Amino acid sequence: MASVVEYKGPREGYRCGYCDAPEGKVSSGMWAHSMTVQDYQDLIDRGWRRSGKYVYKPVMNQTCCPQYTIRCRPLHFQPSKSHKKVLKKMFKYLSKGEFSKGNNEEEPMDSQMDDAGMHDFALKSKLDIKSDQRPLSEDCHEIKESKVKEKEDLEPKETKMLNKSHAKQEKLGSGEPSGSVKVVPSTPKPGKGADLSKPPCRKAKDIRKERKRQKLILKSQTDQVQHEEKPKLNQPKSIEDFIFDTLPDKSAHQLEVRVVRSSPPSSQFKATFQESYQVYKRYQMVIHKDPPDKPTVSQFTRFLCSSPLEAENPPNGPDCGYGSFHQQYWLDGKIIAVGVIDVLPYCVSSVYLYYDPDYAFLSLGVYSALREIAFTRELHEKTSQLSYYYMGFYIHSCPKMRYKGQYRPSDLLCPETYVWVPIEQCLPALENSKYCRFNQDTKAVDEERIKELDRLRVLYKRTIMPYNIYKKRQKGPSDEAIVQQYADLVGQTCSERMLLFRS
């Protein structure tokens, strides 16, 4: 199956929804009658994006608010403090039914790294206490004797001399020669003398050496335990740890996320169509202030249900297959939000989110983005090349659209060479100019730039042919300029694979 597209050319001078300039927006577009997931993957890697079946690309150096394609790298993603706050808020609401309708962004949130630091401190304290314990309890009496000896050493010299003189006088008075001392065996008084049931005394110096040796051994063991345990304690919690944390048996609410194919519509999608549409209608009226007659069923279908992407289910692909889906958020048996996504060979591409305004306090925009990042990681486990999360466009000139840059690590697409550049390297340039070429290599060019226009494929009068054959059969004025423009925008590979419809 080949993609069939009808190029509409540039569209200039229409109202911008970001800065409200009445005629500031400029883009090129084409109607996609059908499209393979690989072709769309290659197109969004060149700055294209779809709305229903209409695929468009901003003219970056002319439009009032340049829109840069942004992608997150979920395999290295770690939730920020504000992301954790949203995840904890959802868990608290599901488990206890508690929530705050105030300014949620001002609520304090504990840092997970601080928690890990407390665990490290607790382990260190226990090990320090253990190292201070003396394994020489059997030598307590030696320590006591040592203290007695130290006390004797500290006695004044005069006291010692006096004691010695008294001892000598006692011997002379007894009639014994002064040069001899008679030793009389006697039983020690209670509480004095060595306890023969215990090991012989050791010098205090030896005891101190033994104690030091024991400390060194214990410190070595402690360092080894800390080395083994510390990485585990310092490992920050992932989004899965928050999202799939076990709820209590009697939790206040139950949340289920269902992925249903929207094109072609699955039976589950058809069964929930009306309920999903009603959520969309309320969202448009309350959040975007649309009049009640604007969010019609046909408008909803064209915008968020119709898709040019062909469903594919290869054996080595994700379990859900490739194509367009609605990710439905069911709370206690009813839909409260829907994330519209495309599952492509290398990424999950976010298209749109709408939700019940009654549940705005749950920060469903942030929560759904984190769920889609987790979903991308889940798909990656089976399909290794599927490892990116595309968030649409990053618009630095519009402050309210900069939030996408908070999902790190992320990259922006260079609008001239179509290479990915880490967003940290792009932001300084964007502070100085709305339009920027991110690739710092001045010699680098678009590797997919059109080289052979004659190899472009055309669908003309129900016949597929290369462009050079079409030119010979074409009647009327030449359309080579518009075909050249189309080829430059889609690149050599897509121009040779997709079919450009010409009437």
Side-chain angles (χ1 to χ4, degrees):
M1 176 66 70
S3 302
V4 179
V5 298
E6 191 172 353
Y7 183 62
K8 300 294 184 181
R11 182 186 174 194
E12 300 180 14
Y14 61 104
R15 193 183 77 83
C16 175
Y18 303 110
C19 68
D20 284 330
E23 298 181 349
K25 208 165 185 180
V26 184
S27 67
S28 298
M30 56 189 177
W31 186 261
H33 296 277
S34 66
M35 184 169 286
T36 65
V37 291
Q38 185 60 61
D39 284 339
Y40 186 54
Q41 175 74 69
D42 291 343
L43 286 174
I44 63 174
D45 284 338
R46 291 183 64 79
W48 292 80
R49 182 165 169 79
R50 78 173 185 88
S51 175
K53 288 190 172 186
Y54 184 71
V55 188
Y56 63 98
K57 184 181 188 302
V59 181
M60 299 290 281
N61 58 355
Q62 297 179 32
T63 192
C64 56
C65 295
Q67 298 155 262
Y68 299 93
T69 302
I70 183 171
R71 73 177 186 185
C72 173
R73 286 175 260 151
L75 305 187
H76 301 96
F77 175 80
Q78 283 295 337
S80 67
K81 183 176 180 179
S82 61
H83 294 153
K84 293 174 186 176
K85 179 180 174 183
V86 171
L87 294 170
K88 287 183 176 182
K89 178 168 59 177
M90 176 63 82
F91 182 82
K92 186 177 180 181
Y93 176 71
L94 294 177
S95 59
K96 300 179 181 179
E98 298 175 5
F99 64 91
S100 171
K101 288 192 176 182
N103 186 355
N104 293 318
E105 290 304 314
E106 297 302 319
E107 293 177 5
M109 190 187 83
D110 295 333
S111 167
Q112 187 59 36
M113 292 303 290
D114 289 346
D115 292 345
M118 289 300 292
H119 288 310
D120 282 342
F121 179 76
L123 176 63
K124 187 175 186 298
S125 299
K126 290 176 183 176
L127 293 171
D128 285 348
I129 292 168
K130 186 177 178 182
S131 67
D132 286 338
Q133 293 173 350
R134 303 293 179 251
L136 305 175
S137 58
E138 69 275 10
D139 291 325
C140 287
H141 64 287
E142 289 105 350
I143 296 172
K144 185 176 179 181
E145 292 292 334
S146 173
K147 288 182 179 178
V148 171
K149 184 179 185 299
E150 289 171 359
K151 186 177 180 181
E152 291 175 351
D153 292 341
L154 292 174
E155 288 179 356
K157 189 174 182 181
E158 293 81 1
T159 305
K160 290 183 179 180
M161 293 291 290
L162 184 61
N163 291 340
K164 188 174 181 181
S165 174
H166 287 169
K168 187 174 181 181
Q169 289 176 6
E170 288 174 0
K171 292 171 189 174
L172 292 173
S174 62
E176 293 291 334
S178 61
S180 65
V181 178
K182 186 176 181 179
V183 179
V184 180
S186 63
T187 303
K189 294 181 180 180
K192 292 185 179 181
D195 187 347
L196 299 179
S197 65
K198 291 184 178 181
C201 295
R202 291 190 298 169
K203 291 183 179 179
K205 184 178 179 181
D206 294 337
I207 295 172
R208 287 196 295 271
K209 284 183 178 180
E210 177 66 15
R211 188 186 306 162
K212 185 176 181 180
R213 189 179 70 83
Q214 292 288 346
K215 275 188 175 183
L216 290 173
I217 294 173
L218 200 57
K219 184 178 184 302
S220 175
Q221 294 172 347
T222 299
D223 290 342
Q224 185 177 357
V225 170
Q226 286 182 329
H227 179 73
E228 294 173 355
E229 296 288 339
K230 195 172 181 180
K232 187 176 180 180
L233 291 173
N234 281 344
Q235 187 68 31
K237 289 178 72 173
S238 67
I239 45 177
E240 289 86 358
D241 293 331
F242 287 101
I243 292 171
F244 302 114
D245 197 0
T246 305
L247 289 169
D249 293 336
K250 294 183 180 180
S251 58
H253 302 285
Q254 292 293 326
L255 179 69
E256 180 187 2
V257 179
R258 303 177 189 173
V259 179
V260 298
R261 186 178 288 279
S262 56
S263 179
S266 64
S267 57
Q268 300 97 320
F269 180 81
K270 293 177 182 177
T272 57
F273 179 87
Q274 277 300 325
E275 184 176 356
S276 183
Y277 162 68
Q278 290 301 326
V279 175
Y280 168 76
K281 185 175 182 178
R282 290 201 65 226
Y283 173 80
Q284 293 297 120
M285 291 169 58
V286 176
I287 305 298
H288 293 291
K289 312 303 179 186
D290 283 357
D293 59 340
K294 186 177 180 181
T296 62
V297 171
S298 59
Q299 188 259 357
F300 170 65
T301 303
R302 286 196 312 272
F303 178 37
L304 297 175
C305 304
S306 297
S307 170
L309 300 184
E310 298 292 333
E312 297 181 25
N313 291 279
N316 60 340
D319 292 337
C320 62
Y322 297 115
S324 298
F325 300 86
H326 279 197
Q327 203 167 35
Q328 301 173 338
Y329 293 77
W330 289 78
L331 182 70
D332 300 333
K334 70 173 184 178
I335 298 176
I336 64 163
V338 176
V340 182
I341 59 173
D342 293 328
V343 179
L344 304 175
Y346 308 132
C347 73
V348 170
S349 174
S350 176
V351 178
Y352 199 72
L353 172 83
Y354 58 93
Y355 56 83
D356 187 334
D358 289 345
Y359 295 90
F361 64 89
L362 289 174
S363 305
L364 291 169
V366 176
Y367 183 76
S368 65
L370 296 172
R371 288 294 299 239
E372 287 168 9
I373 289 173
F375 182 56
T376 306
R377 288 154 65 127
E378 178 188 337
L379 298 182
H380 170 78
E381 290 181 3
K382 181 176 180 184
T383 311
S384 59
Q385 71 269 21
L386 202 163
S387 54
Y388 296 102
Y389 173 58
Y390 284 52
M391 296 176 281
F393 289 133
Y394 174 80
I395 307 167
H396 192 79
S397 58
C398 180
K400 68 179 182 181
M401 295 301 293
R402 294 183 184 180
Y403 71 92
K404 295 179 182 180
Q406 297 172 3
Y407 296 83
R408 304 284 181 93
S410 57
D411 310 301
L412 296 183
L413 187 68
C414 176
E416 295 181 9
T417 60
Y418 304 110
V419 297
W420 294 100
V421 181
I423 192 170
E424 294 86 354
Q425 298 178 25
C426 305
L427 294 179
L430 288 172
E431 288 293 330
N432 297 322
S433 175
K434 288 184 178 181
Y435 173 76
C436 299
R437 169 194 166 110
F438 300 135
N439 193 335
Q440 297 300 310
D441 183 358
T442 56
K443 296 181 180 179
V445 296
D446 173 17
E447 295 296 334
E448 275 289 303
R449 67 190 185 283
I450 196 73
K451 303 176 185 69
E452 298 181 53
L453 188 61
D454 287 346
R455 293 172 60 179
L456 179 145
R457 293 213 297 170
V458 175
L459 178 61
Y460 178 63
K461 292 184 177 181
R462 298 185 180 181
T463 305
I464 300 171
M465 61 190 73
Y467 183 67
N468 60 342
I469 302 297
Y470 161 74
K471 282 192 299 184
K472 295 176 182 177
R473 297 186 183 183
Q474 181 187 7
K475 296 177 181 179
S478 172
D479 61 357
E480 185 167 347
I482 196 77
V483 173
Q484 179 74 53
Q485 186 181 74
Y486 156 81
D488 289 337
L489 293 173
V490 303
Q492 185 75 48
T493 300
C494 282
S495 71
E496 294 179 17
R497 216 165 44 203
M498 300 193 302
L499 303 179
L500 176 62
F501 175 78
R502 307 307 289 163
S503 59

